[in-house]
Amino acid sequence: MTTAKERTDLLTEVGLDSQNGAALGRVLGTGNIQRATERADGTMEATVRILPDEIVWDPSILVLPHGGDLELTLINDDLNTHCALLPSNGDRKFIWLVNHSKGRAKLNLDGPGYYWFSSPTGNDEGRGLTGAIVVLGEVPPEARLDRPDQMRP
């Protein structure tokens, strides 16, 4: 769990606190932010939970230091059934999370960017059960658009 100051400092450090930083705009206004841990083989891992009676992922923002494979553990601590629709190259992943259950997903997010995940059942998304995975890094030269440099604020 992060304090308000730690959250602000980490958002600033990874460039998520301003327009045209690491994302196109400011990310989710509430919830915690956490970095994924990296194993010796380069695979990253993290755990997100659905908190009881809060309809929120914890953390709601997960930061990856670079693109690659992520092993994500999802825990539903709530008394209601939810699910997780997760981004991954090639195809999205879907995990059903009955109350007090746990699931695992192996994701591949090979490029820098801002990826959303949510629980699209019922009105979970409308009530706030959305999160972001932010992958840091630079786009490789071969993937960049052929256009003039743009001004940055």
Side-chain angles (χ1 to χ4, degrees):
M1 179 163 247
T2 56
T3 65
K5 172 129 178 55
E6 290 168 336
R7 182 181 193 279
T8 301
D9 292 345
L10 184 54
L11 286 169
T12 300
E13 181 184 333
V14 298
L16 296 175
D17 65 339
S18 63
Q19 188 76 9
N20 293 326
L24 293 177
R26 290 180 184 236
V27 294
L28 309 170
T30 59
N32 293 321
I33 181 172
Q34 178 182 313
R35 292 179 189 264
T37 57
E38 189 170 3
R39 297 186 201 144
D41 66 357
T43 302
M44 294 162 279
E45 62 184 348
T47 299
V48 295
R49 307 180 94 88
I50 299 172
L51 300 176
D53 300 324
E54 291 188 35
I55 313 293
V56 66
W57 296 104
D58 185 34
S60 61
I61 303 168
L62 180 62
V63 179
L64 277 56
H66 55 77
D69 294 321
L70 170 67
E71 290 186 11
L72 188 62
T73 301
L74 301 119
I75 301 171
N76 181 7
D77 289 330
D78 197 21
L79 296 174
N80 294 307
T81 298
H82 301 285
C83 68
L85 183 61
L86 303 159
S88 186
N89 290 342
D91 199 6
R92 293 188 215 179
K93 308 286 181 169
F94 181 87
I95 295 178
W96 193 250
L97 296 164
V98 298
N99 52 330
H100 296 291
S101 67
K102 178 164 91 170
R104 289 182 189 231
K106 292 186 179 186
L107 310 177
N108 180 273
L109 303 170
D110 66 353
Y114 187 51
Y115 302 87
W116 290 98
F117 64 97
S118 66
S119 173
T121 59
N123 188 28
D124 285 353
E125 289 174 322
R127 295 186 307 170
L129 198 50
T130 58
I133 300 172
V134 178
V135 180
L136 302 177
E138 290 295 322
V139 175
E142 65 272 10
R144 293 183 184 161
L145 295 175
D146 185 20
R147 65 178 186 175
D149 289 338
Q150 302 294 305
M151 263 183 51
R152 296 260 181 187

